[in-house]
Structure formats: C-alpha cells, structure tokens
Amino acid sequence: MNTPTPQQALTEFLSCWQKRDYSSMSRLLPVHGTPPKKQTVKATKELYGTQKLTDFNLLAARDTDPAATNLDVEMHYREAGELEVKRWRFRMVYVNDAGQPIPRNQPSGSWKPYITRVLPDPPALRA
C-alpha cells in the first residue's frame, strides 16, 4: 500500500492503535531481519497493548533526509489505569517492499514508523 505522506501513514497506524487492531498495526510496521520478516500480531500487541491510546494530535513534521521525516505527536493514553498525555516523536522512513529506504519521490514505496520515543515534558512556566 502506497501512503503519500508520512502524516497519513502515521494517522492510519495510530487510528489502528486506538481501535486496538494489532493485526493491521503489524502490517503497517517495517520488516526486520535477514531475510526480511513481518512483525507478528503477538509482538505488536506486547509492544503496544499495555497502553490504550485514546486520542492523538500531530504537532510538527520535519523532513530530515530524502527518505525520512520526524513527526511529533501529542499522545493521550491510559497505562496501568492512569491517563497519560505525552509528546512522542515518530521517525517515519520511506521504504520499498524489501524494507530498504528509498527517496520519497519513488512511486513504489510506503512510509513506516521505525523509531518512537517519548519527548521530555516542557519546563514549567514561571510567573
């Protein structure tokens, strides 16, 4: 499936997470290993199932090279019964069917979320 923008690909991935559709999420994740192997549904559920995503807002996008974009997202999720609101950064990479990065202007690629990390909270405002 060709996804025209990293924002659209990430929105699709996060929407699947909201629905707890780990099967679709695993298909949207990149292939790993040699030979390339798809992420299993069980591994995807173990990785993302502890957090129940309730809402998200795309905040910023920054192209870093011809095959990658960093997207900052405000994530609202429940973890261990507690509501969390954190900023996450997703590194989206444009890849071919073998999982190799290719320039974003190639028609046969798709955007995949490769790396995620929680960003630090901004400092408190002082009066």
Side-chain angles (χ1 to χ4, degrees):
M1 180 171 80
N2 186 328
T3 46
T5 69
Q7 292 89 337
Q8 289 170 322
L10 185 57
T11 296
E12 181 180 1
F13 179 76
L14 295 176
S15 295
C16 291
W17 187 359
Q18 278 183 303
K19 295 181 247 178
R20 302 176 80 82
D21 182 358
Y22 302 111
S23 177
S24 293
M25 285 175 73
S26 65
R27 285 193 299 273
L28 297 171
L29 289 169
V31 295
H32 293 288
T34 306
K37 186 169 69 169
K38 292 272 187 191
Q39 179 87 2
T40 66
V41 175
K42 181 181 176 185
T44 302
K45 186 173 182 177
E46 287 173 359
L47 191 59
Y48 294 96
T50 60
Q51 301 155 335
K52 184 175 191 242
L53 184 63
T54 58
D55 198 13
F56 62 90
N57 297 308
L58 300 179
L59 300 174
R62 194 180 104 218
D63 295 337
T64 60
D65 58 62
T69 297
N70 288 339
L71 293 173
D72 291 353
V73 182
E74 181 182 80
M75 306 281 284
H76 300 241
Y77 56 92
R78 291 200 172 276
E79 188 170 31
E82 297 292 322
L83 180 62
E84 298 283 339
V85 178
K86 297 280 184 184
R87 286 182 33 206
W88 288 31
R89 177 164 293 152
F90 288 83
R91 179 141 176 96
M92 303 295 289
V93 179
Y94 196 67
V95 298
N96 61 17
D97 290 339
Q100 298 299 312
I102 58 174
R104 66 182 75 225
N105 62 353
Q106 301 295 315
S108 60
S110 59
W111 289 100
K112 302 285 183 177
Y114 265 78
I115 299 172
T116 61
R117 66 183 173 115
V118 177
L119 298 174
D121 290 330
L125 297 174
R126 293 184 183 191

